[in-house]
Amino acid sequence: MSLTPINEKSGFRYSTESPAAFNSDRQLETKPRSRWKPKHTSAVIAAVVLAGLIAGCGYAAFGPSAGTPNSLSAQGALTLAVFAVAIWLWIFSPVSDTYVALGACLVLVLMGVLPETQLFSSLGEDTIWLLLAAFVIAAGITATGLATRAAAWIVFGAHTPRQLMHLSTGVLVATAFAVPSTSGRAALAIPVFVALAKALSAHRRVVLALSLLFPSVILLSAVASYLGAGAHLITSQILVASEYEGFSFATWLLYGLPLALVSSHLCAELVLLLFTSREDRGQVLSVGIKTMQEHSPVPLSGPLSVAQSRAALLVGVVVVLWCTEPLHQLHPAVVALLGSLLVASPGFGSVSLAKALKSVPWSMLIFMAATLALGTSLIESGAAQWLAHGALGPVTQLGPSAPWIFTVLVVVISAGAHLVIQSRSARSAVLIPLVVSLAPGVGVNAVAIALASTAAAGFCHTLTSSAKPVNLFSDIEGVTTYQPADLLKLSVALGPLMILLVLVFAFWIWPLMGLELSV
């Protein structure tokens, strides 16, 4: 049967089918289509639940139990109401997350719940400056082509699909220390993937496995670095606002890097097992540097350029200074700002400051500042503690098993939350205040459970809309990658594996490293 092209201008359809079939098709095409979708039903149900929650908050704040020790204050009720509406908009509305977060903050300011100074000062937090300077450094590294060249040379040493997958995984884990966002790392990795995919075009299943591996490892390995995701900075700031000790670059590296390495390489093995055959894994690959060069705009051979050598030296020095903060007492943000000035300096740098600043995702930084203000409001108004006790309070009655059950629930909810709230930073802004508020009541270390929750939130692979790297690799011009069914197949196995791995680290590995789960 031949294809039936459609003339877009006239709307007529040209077909080789019989007139009866053509008329039947036209009748089907002219039949009105329902615009009501399952997502609309979910939105309505969520809106009803939201209305009930807001009514419950109002009753708790102004009802008969008002003024008792466990009651909700009026400011807490208003904060929860605004926060609940923001969550609904994040899930169901096409409005950008940043717009919603800023709007929620302004509503709280106008209602007198959030002080103006607190909203404005959130933009001046050291974490915002740290991330801003890190983006400038990343722009300079990207401009030199150093990362693409290094990745290409490392994977050039692979002779089997398994070697290729694990060498690629190692490179992608390392990029967590050079580029401070998962979407930025995905954009940096796409040219390397395209060159590999075209060089391996005869190995279709290996290319499919690589297309799944790259975004998966980018997301899982973000936990290696304090700057790997904005959610990490939000988690640390919420801990500080709750009068706990936050994370430094070095402490996050200590606990996060082992988890990133183990989870990323396990993911590589899982992708190999699910998407390649034994024959595929036994093949000998010949990824020639000349073949890859044909598909890469960045020179992959010859000595490093002056700009690339300087970029490598700069990144090494900055990371070492971040890791040795207790020795020199230089704030990580100050180190990052010094690095950003060097990378953009006229004589030494590889990119102008104006161009580097244009590459900074300002919307993400403003979103982080706004969610920090919202999270702090939840804590200071008492809303987080009241809601946490209401939602997870029954766990406190389970006796000695309460810490275990509480930890498992937090990790499972954090891993599954990407199906509801797509932004990792938004998930942390929602979950961490609640987790931190309830942790002491069940005998759990708030710092340890906050880290476990944030680490579990790194699993967000189920849908193409679940994370930007997954979305970017799902549609690459000139290369056939994965389908939604492939993502679902991977997630069914990877989700439980990640939950189990985070629990192993929380219960046994991190305590051996000095981060006890119980208090």
Side-chain angles (χ1 to χ4, degrees), residues 232-311:
H232 304 169
L233 284 75
I234 290 174
T235 296
S236 183
Q237 287 298 105
I238 291 176
L239 283 169
V240 172
S242 303
E243 299 182 351
Y244 292 100
E245 184 179 355
F247 290 96
S248 66
F249 189 91
T251 55
W252 193 284
L253 175 69
L254 175 65
Y255 302 124
L257 181 57
L259 175 59
L261 288 171
V262 174
S263 62
S264 297
H265 284 284
L266 281 178
C267 178
E269 282 297 321
L270 187 63
V271 170
L272 274 171
L273 178 65
L274 293 177
F275 297 96
T276 61
S277 64
R278 181 175 297 178
E279 291 74 18
D280 293 325
R281 295 190 289 274
Q283 290 177 347
V284 177
L285 302 179
S286 56
V287 186
I289 197 68
K290 292 183 179 179
T291 306
M292 290 191 65
Q293 183 65 78
E294 294 174 0
H295 308 289
S296 174
V298 178
L300 302 179
S301 58
L304 292 178
S305 67
V306 174
Q308 290 172 343
S309 300
R310 288 175 176 175

Coordinates of all heavy atoms in Angstrom, one line a residue, residues 232-311:
H232 N 21.2 20.1 45.0 CA 22.2 19.9 46.0 C 22.4 21.2 46.9 O 22.5 21.1 48.1 CB 23.5 19.5 45.4 CG 23.4 18.3 44.6 ND1 24.5 17.8 43.7 CD2 22.4 17.4 44.4 CE1 24.1 16.7 43.1 NE2 22.9 16.4 43.5
L233 N 22.5 22.3 46.2 CA 22.6 23.6 46.9 C 21.4 23.9 47.7 O 21.5 24.5 48.8 CB 23.0 24.7 45.9 CG 24.4 24.7 45.3 CD1 24.6 23.6 44.3 CD2 24.7 26.0 44.7
I234 N 20.2 23.6 47.1 CA 19.0 23.9 47.8 C 18.9 23.0 49.1 O 18.5 23.5 50.2 CB 17.8 23.6 46.9 CG1 17.7 24.7 45.8 CG2 16.5 23.6 47.7 CD1 16.6 24.4 44.8
T235 N 19.3 21.8 49.0 CA 19.3 20.9 50.2 C 20.2 21.4 51.3 O 19.8 21.5 52.5 CB 19.8 19.5 49.8 OG1 18.8 18.9 48.8 CG2 19.9 18.6 51.0
S236 N 21.4 21.9 50.9 CA 22.3 22.4 51.9 C 21.8 23.7 52.5 O 21.9 23.8 53.8 CB 23.7 22.7 51.2 OG 24.7 23.1 52.1
Q237 N 21.2 24.5 51.7 CA 20.7 25.8 52.3 C 19.5 25.6 53.2 O 19.4 26.3 54.2 CB 20.3 26.7 51.2 CG 21.5 27.3 50.4 CD 22.3 28.2 51.3 OE1 23.5 27.8 51.7 NE2 21.9 29.4 51.6
I238 N 18.7 24.6 52.9 CA 17.5 24.3 53.8 C 18.0 23.7 55.1 O 17.5 24.0 56.2 CB 16.6 23.4 53.1 CG1 15.9 24.1 51.9 CG2 15.5 22.8 54.0 CD1 14.9 23.3 51.1
L239 N 19.1 22.9 55.0 CA 19.7 22.4 56.3 C 20.2 23.5 57.1 O 20.0 23.5 58.4 CB 20.8 21.4 55.9 CG 20.3 20.0 55.5 CD1 21.5 19.2 54.9 CD2 19.7 19.2 56.6
V240 N 20.9 24.5 56.5 CA 21.4 25.6 57.3 C 20.3 26.4 57.9 O 20.4 26.9 59.0 CB 22.3 26.5 56.3 CG1 22.7 27.7 57.0 CG2 23.6 25.7 55.9
A241 N 19.2 26.6 57.1 CA 18.1 27.4 57.6 C 17.4 26.7 58.8 O 16.8 27.4 59.6 CB 17.1 27.6 56.5
S242 N 17.6 25.4 58.8 CA 17.0 24.6 59.9 C 18.0 24.4 61.1 O 17.8 23.6 61.9 CB 16.5 23.2 59.4 OG 15.6 23.4 58.4
E243 N 19.1 25.2 61.0 CA 20.1 25.2 62.0 C 20.9 23.8 62.1 O 21.3 23.4 63.2 CB 19.5 25.5 63.4 CG 18.9 26.9 63.4 CD 18.3 27.3 64.8 OE1 18.3 26.4 65.7 OE2 17.9 28.4 65.0
Y244 N 21.0 23.2 60.9 CA 21.9 22.0 60.8 C 23.2 22.4 60.1 O 23.2 23.5 59.4 CB 21.2 20.9 60.1 CG 20.1 20.3 60.9 CD1 18.8 20.6 60.6 CD2 20.3 19.4 61.9 CE1 17.7 20.1 61.3 CE2 19.3 18.8 62.7 CZ 18.0 19.2 62.4 OH 16.9 18.6 63.1
E245 N 24.1 21.6 60.1 CA 25.3 21.9 59.3 C 25.1 21.5 57.8 O 24.7 20.4 57.5 CB 26.5 21.0 59.8 CG 27.9 21.3 59.1 CD 29.0 20.6 59.7 OE1 28.8 19.8 60.7 OE2 30.1 20.6 59.2
G246 N 25.4 22.4 56.9 CA 25.2 22.2 55.5 C 26.4 21.4 54.9 O 27.3 21.0 55.7
F247 N 26.4 21.2 53.6 CA 27.5 20.5 53.0 C 28.5 21.5 52.3 O 28.1 22.6 51.9 CB 26.9 19.6 51.9 CG 26.2 18.5 52.4 CD1 24.8 18.5 52.5 CD2 26.8 17.3 52.8 CE1 24.0 17.4 52.9 CE2 26.1 16.2 53.2 CZ 24.7 16.3 53.3
S248 N 29.7 21.1 52.3 CA 30.7 21.9 51.6 C 31.0 21.0 50.3 O 30.6 19.9 50.2 CB 32.0 22.0 52.4 OG 32.6 20.8 52.6
F249 N 31.9 21.6 49.4 CA 32.2 20.9 48.2 C 32.9 19.5 48.6 O 32.7 18.5 48.0 CB 33.1 21.7 47.4 CG 33.4 21.1 46.0 CD1 32.6 21.4 44.9 CD2 34.5 20.3 45.8 CE1 32.9 20.9 43.7 CE2 34.7 19.7 44.6 CZ 33.9 20.0 43.5
A250 N 33.8 19.6 49.6 CA 34.6 18.4 50.0 C 33.7 17.4 50.7 O 33.9 16.2 50.4 CB 35.7 18.8 50.9
T251 N 32.8 17.8 51.6 CA 32.0 16.8 52.2 C 31.0 16.1 51.3 O 30.7 14.9 51.3 CB 31.2 17.4 53.4 OG1 30.4 18.5 52.9 CG2 32.2 17.8 54.5
W252 N 30.4 16.9 50.3 CA 29.5 16.3 49.3 C 30.3 15.3 48.5 O 29.8 14.3 48.1 CB 28.9 17.4 48.5 CG 27.7 16.8 47.7 CD1 27.8 16.1 46.6 CD2 26.3 16.9 48.0 NE1 26.6 15.7 46.1 CE2 25.6 16.2 47.0 CE3 25.6 17.6 49.0 CZ2 24.2 16.2 47.0 CZ3 24.2 17.5 49.0 CH2 23.6 16.8 48.0
L253 N 31.5 15.7 48.1 CA 32.4 14.8 47.3 C 32.6 13.5 48.0 O 32.6 12.4 47.4 CB 33.7 15.6 47.0 CG 34.8 14.8 46.2 CD1 34.3 14.5 44.8 CD2 36.1 15.5 46.2
L254 N 32.9 13.6 49.3 CA 33.2 12.4 50.1 C 32.1 11.4 50.1 O 32.3 10.2 49.9 CB 33.5 12.8 51.5 CG 33.8 11.7 52.5 CD1 35.0 10.9 52.2 CD2 33.8 12.3 53.9
Y255 N 30.8 11.9 50.2 CA 29.7 11.0 50.3 C 29.1 10.7 48.9 O 28.5 9.6 48.7 CB 28.6 11.6 51.2 CG 29.1 11.9 52.6 CD1 29.0 13.1 53.2 CD2 29.7 10.9 53.4 CE1 29.4 13.4 54.4 CE2 30.2 11.1 54.7 CZ 30.0 12.4 55.2 OH 30.5 12.6 56.4
G256 N 29.2 11.7 48.0 CA 28.5 11.6 46.7 C 29.2 10.8 45.6 O 28.6 10.1 44.9
L257 N 30.6 11.0 45.6 CA 31.3 10.4 44.5 C 31.3 8.9 44.5 O 31.1 8.3 43.5 CB 32.8 10.9 44.6 CG 33.7 10.3 43.5 CD1 33.2 10.7 42.1 CD2 35.1 10.9 43.7
P258 N 31.4 8.2 45.7 CA 31.3 6.7 45.6 C 30.0 6.2 45.1 O 29.9 5.3 44.3 CB 31.5 6.3 47.1 CG 32.3 7.4 47.7 CD 31.8 8.7 47.0
L259 N 28.9 6.9 45.5 CA 27.5 6.5 45.1 C 27.4 6.8 43.6 O 26.9 6.0 42.8 CB 26.5 7.3 45.8 CG 25.0 7.1 45.3 CD1 24.6 5.7 45.5 CD2 24.1 8.0 46.1
A260 N 28.0 7.9 43.1 CA 27.9 8.2 41.7 C 28.7 7.2 40.8 O 28.2 6.7 39.8 CB 28.5 9.6 41.4
L261 N 29.8 6.8 41.3 CA 30.6 5.8 40.5 C 29.9 4.4 40.5 O 29.8 3.8 39.4 CB 32.0 5.6 41.2 CG 32.9 6.8 41.0 CD1 34.2 6.7 41.8 CD2 33.3 7.0 39.5
V262 N 29.4 4.0 41.7 CA 28.8 2.7 41.7 C 27.5 2.7 40.9 O 27.3 1.7 40.1 CB 28.5 2.3 43.2 CG1 27.7 1.0 43.2 CG2 29.8 2.1 44.0
S263 N 26.7 3.6 41.1 CA 25.4 3.7 40.4 C 25.6 3.8 38.9 O 24.8 3.2 38.1 CB 24.5 4.8 40.9 OG 25.1 6.1 40.7
S264 N 26.5 4.6 38.5 CA 26.7 4.9 37.0 C 27.2 3.6 36.3 O 26.8 3.3 35.2 CB 27.7 6.0 36.8 OG 27.2 7.2 37.3
H265 N 28.2 2.9 36.9 CA 28.7 1.7 36.3 C 27.7 0.5 36.4 O 27.7 -0.3 35.5 CB 30.1 1.3 36.9 CG 31.2 2.2 36.5 ND1 31.8 2.1 35.3 CD2 31.8 3.3 37.1 CE1 32.7 3.0 35.1 NE2 32.8 3.7 36.2
L266 N 26.9 0.5 37.4 CA 25.9 -0.5 37.5 C 24.9 -0.2 36.4 O 24.3 -1.2 35.7 CB 25.2 -0.5 38.8 CG 25.9 -1.2 40.0 CD1 25.1 -1.1 41.3 CD2 26.1 -2.7 39.7
C267 N 24.6 1.0 36.1 CA 23.7 1.4 35.1 C 24.2 1.0 33.7 O 23.5 0.5 32.8 CB 23.4 2.9 35.1 SG 22.3 3.6 33.8
A268 N 25.5 1.2 33.5 CA 26.2 0.7 32.3 C 26.0 -0.8 32.0 O 25.6 -1.2 30.9 CB 27.6 1.1 32.3
E269 N 26.2 -1.6 33.1 CA 26.0 -3.0 33.0 C 24.5 -3.3 32.7 O 24.2 -4.2 31.9 CB 26.5 -3.7 34.2 CG 28.0 -3.9 34.3 CD 28.5 -4.7 33.3 OE1 27.9 -5.8 32.9 OE2 29.6 -4.4 32.7
L270 N 23.6 -2.6 33.3 CA 22.2 -2.9 33.1 C 21.8 -2.5 31.7 O 21.0 -3.3 31.1 CB 21.4 -2.0 34.1 CG 19.9 -2.3 34.2 CD1 19.6 -3.7 34.6 CD2 19.2 -1.3 35.1
V271 N 22.2 -1.4 31.2 CA 21.9 -1.1 29.8 C 22.5 -2.1 28.8 O 21.8 -2.5 27.9 CB 22.5 0.3 29.5 CG1 22.4 0.6 28.0 CG2 21.7 1.4 30.2
L272 N 23.7 -2.6 29.1 CA 24.3 -3.6 28.2 C 23.4 -4.9 28.3 O 23.1 -5.5 27.2 CB 25.7 -4.0 28.7 CG 26.8 -3.1 28.2 CD1 28.1 -3.4 28.9 CD2 27.0 -3.3 26.7
L273 N 23.0 -5.3 29.4 CA 22.2 -6.5 29.6 C 20.8 -6.4 28.9 O 20.4 -7.4 28.3 CB 22.0 -6.8 31.1 CG 21.2 -8.1 31.5 CD1 21.9 -9.3 31.0 CD2 21.0 -8.1 33.0
L274 N 20.2 -5.3 29.0 CA 18.8 -5.1 28.5 C 18.8 -4.8 27.0 O 17.8 -5.2 26.4 CB 18.1 -4.0 29.3 CG 17.8 -4.2 30.8 CD1 17.2 -3.0 31.4 CD2 16.9 -5.4 31.0
F275 N 19.8 -4.2 26.5 CA 19.6 -3.6 25.1 C 20.6 -4.2 24.1 O 20.6 -3.7 23.0 CB 19.6 -2.1 25.2 CG 18.5 -1.5 25.9 CD1 18.7 -1.1 27.3 CD2 17.3 -1.3 25.4 CE1 17.7 -0.6 28.0 CE2 16.2 -0.8 26.1 CZ 16.4 -0.4 27.4
T276 N 21.5 -5.0 24.5 CA 22.4 -5.7 23.6 C 22.4 -7.2 23.8 O 22.1 -7.7 24.9 CB 23.9 -5.2 23.8 OG1 24.3 -5.5 25.1 CG2 24.0 -3.7 23.6
S277 N 22.7 -7.9 22.8 CA 22.7 -9.4 22.8 C 24.1 -9.8 23.2 O 25.1 -9.1 23.2 CB 22.3 -10.0 21.5 OG 23.2 -9.6 20.5
R278 N 24.3 -11.1 23.5 CA 25.6 -11.7 23.8 C 26.5 -11.5 22.6 O 27.7 -11.3 22.7 CB 25.4 -13.1 24.1 CG 26.8 -13.8 24.5 CD 26.5 -15.2 25.0 NE 25.8 -15.3 26.2 CZ 25.4 -16.4 26.8 NH1 25.7 -17.6 26.2 NH2 24.7 -16.4 27.9
E279 N 25.9 -11.6 21.3 CA 26.8 -11.5 20.1 C 27.2 -10.0 20.0 O 28.4 -9.8 19.7 CB 26.0 -11.8 18.9 CG 25.6 -13.3 18.8 CD 24.6 -13.8 19.7 OE1 23.8 -13.0 20.3 OE2 24.5 -15.0 20.0
D280 N 26.4 -9.1 20.4 CA 26.8 -7.7 20.3 C 27.9 -7.4 21.3 O 28.9 -6.7 21.0 CB 25.6 -6.8 20.7 CG 24.5 -6.8 19.7 OD1 24.8 -6.9 18.5 OD2 23.3 -6.7 20.1
R281 N 27.8 -7.9 22.5 CA 28.8 -7.7 23.5 C 30.1 -8.4 23.2 O 31.2 -8.0 23.7 CB 28.3 -8.1 24.9 CG 27.1 -7.3 25.4 CD 26.8 -7.6 26.8 NE 26.2 -9.0 27.0 CZ 24.9 -9.3 26.9 NH1 24.1 -8.3 26.6 NH2 24.5 -10.5 27.1
G282 N 30.1 -9.4 22.3 CA 31.3 -10.1 22.0 C 32.0 -9.5 20.8 O 33.1 -10.0 20.4
Q283 N 31.4 -8.6 20.1 CA 32.0 -8.0 18.9 C 33.2 -7.1 19.2 O 33.3 -6.5 20.3 CB 31.0 -7.2 18.1 CG 29.9 -8.0 17.5 CD 28.8 -7.1 16.8 OE1 28.8 -5.9 17.0 NE2 28.0 -7.7 16.0
V284 N 34.1 -7.1 18.3 CA 35.3 -6.2 18.4 C 35.0 -4.9 17.7 O 34.6 -4.9 16.5 CB 36.6 -6.9 17.8 CG1 37.8 -5.9 17.9 CG2 36.9 -8.2 18.5
L285 N 35.1 -3.8 18.4 CA 34.9 -2.5 17.8 C 36.2 -1.8 17.3 O 37.2 -2.0 17.9 CB 34.2 -1.6 18.9 CG 32.9 -2.0 19.5 CD1 32.4 -1.0 20.5 CD2 31.8 -2.3 18.5
S286 N 36.0 -1.0 16.3 CA 37.2 -0.3 15.8 C 36.7 1.2 15.7 O 36.3 1.6 14.6 CB 37.6 -0.8 14.5 OG 36.6 -0.8 13.5
V287 N 36.8 1.9 16.8 CA 36.5 3.3 16.8 C 37.7 4.1 16.5 O 38.5 4.5 17.4 CB 35.9 3.7 18.1 CG1 35.3 5.1 18.1 CG2 34.8 2.8 18.6
G288 N 38.0 4.3 15.2 CA 39.2 5.1 14.8 C 39.0 6.6 15.0 O 37.9 7.1 14.9
I289 N 40.1 7.2 15.4 CA 40.1 8.6 15.7 C 39.8 9.4 14.4 O 39.1 10.4 14.4 CB 41.4 9.1 16.3 CG1 41.2 10.5 17.0 CG2 42.5 9.1 15.3 CD1 40.3 10.4 18.2
K290 N 40.2 8.9 13.2 CA 40.0 9.5 12.0 C 38.5 9.5 11.6 O 37.9 10.4 11.1 CB 40.8 8.9 10.9 CG 42.3 9.2 11.0 CD 43.1 8.6 9.8 CE 44.5 8.9 9.9 NZ 45.3 8.3 8.8
T291 N 37.9 8.3 11.9 CA 36.4 8.2 11.7 C 35.6 9.1 12.5 O 34.7 9.8 12.1 CB 36.0 6.7 11.9 OG1 36.8 5.8 11.2 CG2 34.5 6.5 11.6
M292 N 36.0 9.2 13.8 CA 35.3 10.2 14.7 C 35.5 11.6 14.3 O 34.6 12.5 14.4 CB 35.7 9.9 16.1 CG 35.3 8.6 16.8 SD 35.5 8.6 18.5 CE 34.4 9.9 19.1
Q293 N 36.7 11.9 13.8 CA 37.0 13.3 13.4 C 36.1 13.8 12.3 O 35.8 14.9 12.2 CB 38.5 13.4 13.0 CG 38.9 14.8 12.6 CD 38.9 15.7 13.8 OE1 39.8 15.7 14.7 NE2 37.8 16.6 13.9
E294 N 35.7 12.8 11.4 CA 34.8 13.2 10.3 C 33.5 13.7 10.8 O 32.8 14.5 10.1 CB 34.6 12.0 9.4 CG 35.8 11.5 8.7 CD 35.6 10.2 8.0 OE1 34.4 9.7 8.0 OE2 36.5 9.6 7.3
H295 N 33.1 13.4 12.0 CA 31.8 13.8 12.5 C 31.9 14.7 13.7 O 30.9 15.0 14.4 CB 31.0 12.5 13.0 CG 30.9 11.5 11.9 ND1 30.1 11.6 10.8 CD2 31.5 10.3 11.8 CE1 30.3 10.5 10.0 NE2 31.1 9.7 10.6
S296 N 33.1 15.3 13.9 CA 33.3 16.2 15.1 C 33.9 17.5 14.6 O 34.9 17.5 13.9 CB 34.2 15.5 16.1 OG 34.5 16.5 17.1
P297 N 33.4 18.6 14.9 CA 33.9 19.9 14.5 C 35.2 20.3 15.3 O 35.9 21.2 15.0 CB 32.8 20.9 14.8 CG 32.0 20.3 15.9 CD 32.1 18.8 15.7
V298 N 35.4 19.6 16.4 CA 36.6 19.9 17.3 C 37.7 19.0 16.9 O 37.6 17.8 16.7 CB 36.2 19.6 18.8 CG1 37.4 19.9 19.7 CG2 35.0 20.5 19.2
P299 N 38.9 19.6 16.7 CA 40.1 18.8 16.4 C 40.4 17.8 17.5 O 40.5 18.1 18.7 CB 41.2 19.8 16.3 CG 40.6 21.1 16.0 CD 39.2 21.0 16.7
L300 N 40.5 16.5 17.1 CA 40.7 15.4 18.1 C 42.1 14.9 18.1 O 42.4 14.0 18.9 CB 39.7 14.3 17.7 CG 38.2 14.6 17.7 CD1 37.4 13.4 17.4 CD2 37.8 15.2 19.0
S301 N 43.0 15.4 17.3 CA 44.4 14.9 17.2 C 45.3 16.0 17.3 O 45.0 17.2 17.2 CB 44.6 14.1 16.0 OG 44.4 14.9 14.8
G302 N 46.6 15.7 17.5 CA 47.6 16.7 17.6 C 47.8 17.2 19.1 O 47.0 16.8 19.9
P303 N 48.8 18.0 19.4 CA 49.0 18.5 20.7 C 47.8 19.4 21.2 O 47.1 20.0 20.3 CB 50.3 19.3 20.7 CG 50.4 19.7 19.2 CD 49.8 18.6 18.4
L304 N 47.6 19.5 22.5 CA 46.6 20.4 23.0 C 47.0 21.9 22.6 O 48.2 22.3 22.6 CB 46.5 20.3 24.5 CG 46.0 19.0 25.1 CD1 46.1 19.1 26.7 CD2 44.6 18.7 24.7
S305 N 46.0 22.6 22.4 CA 46.2 24.1 22.1 C 46.5 24.8 23.4 O 46.3 24.2 24.5 CB 44.9 24.7 21.5 OG 43.9 24.7 22.4
V306 N 47.0 26.0 23.3 CA 47.3 26.8 24.5 C 46.1 27.0 25.4 O 46.1 26.8 26.6 CB 48.0 28.1 24.1 CG1 48.2 29.0 25.3 CG2 49.3 27.9 23.4
A307 N 45.0 27.3 24.7 CA 43.7 27.5 25.4 C 43.3 26.3 26.2 O 42.8 26.3 27.3 CB 42.6 28.0 24.5
Q308 N 43.4 25.1 25.5 CA 43.0 23.8 26.2 C 43.9 23.5 27.3 O 43.4 23.0 28.4 CB 43.0 22.7 25.1 CG 41.9 22.8 24.1 CD 42.1 21.8 23.0 OE1 43.1 21.2 22.8 NE2 41.0 21.6 22.2
S309 N 45.2 23.7 27.2 CA 46.1 23.5 28.3 C 45.8 24.3 29.5 O 45.8 23.9 30.7 CB 47.6 23.7 27.8 OG 47.9 22.8 26.8
R310 N 45.5 25.6 29.2 CA 45.2 26.5 30.3 C 43.9 26.2 31.0 O 43.7 26.3 32.2 CB 45.1 28.0 29.8 CG 46.5 28.6 29.4 CD 46.3 29.9 28.7 NE 47.6 30.5 28.5 CZ 47.8 31.7 27.8 NH1 46.7 32.4 27.4 NH2 49.0 32.2 27.6
A311 N 42.9 25.7 30.2 CA 41.6 25.3 30.7 C 41.8 24.1 31.6 O 41.2 24.1 32.7 CB 40.6 25.1 29.6

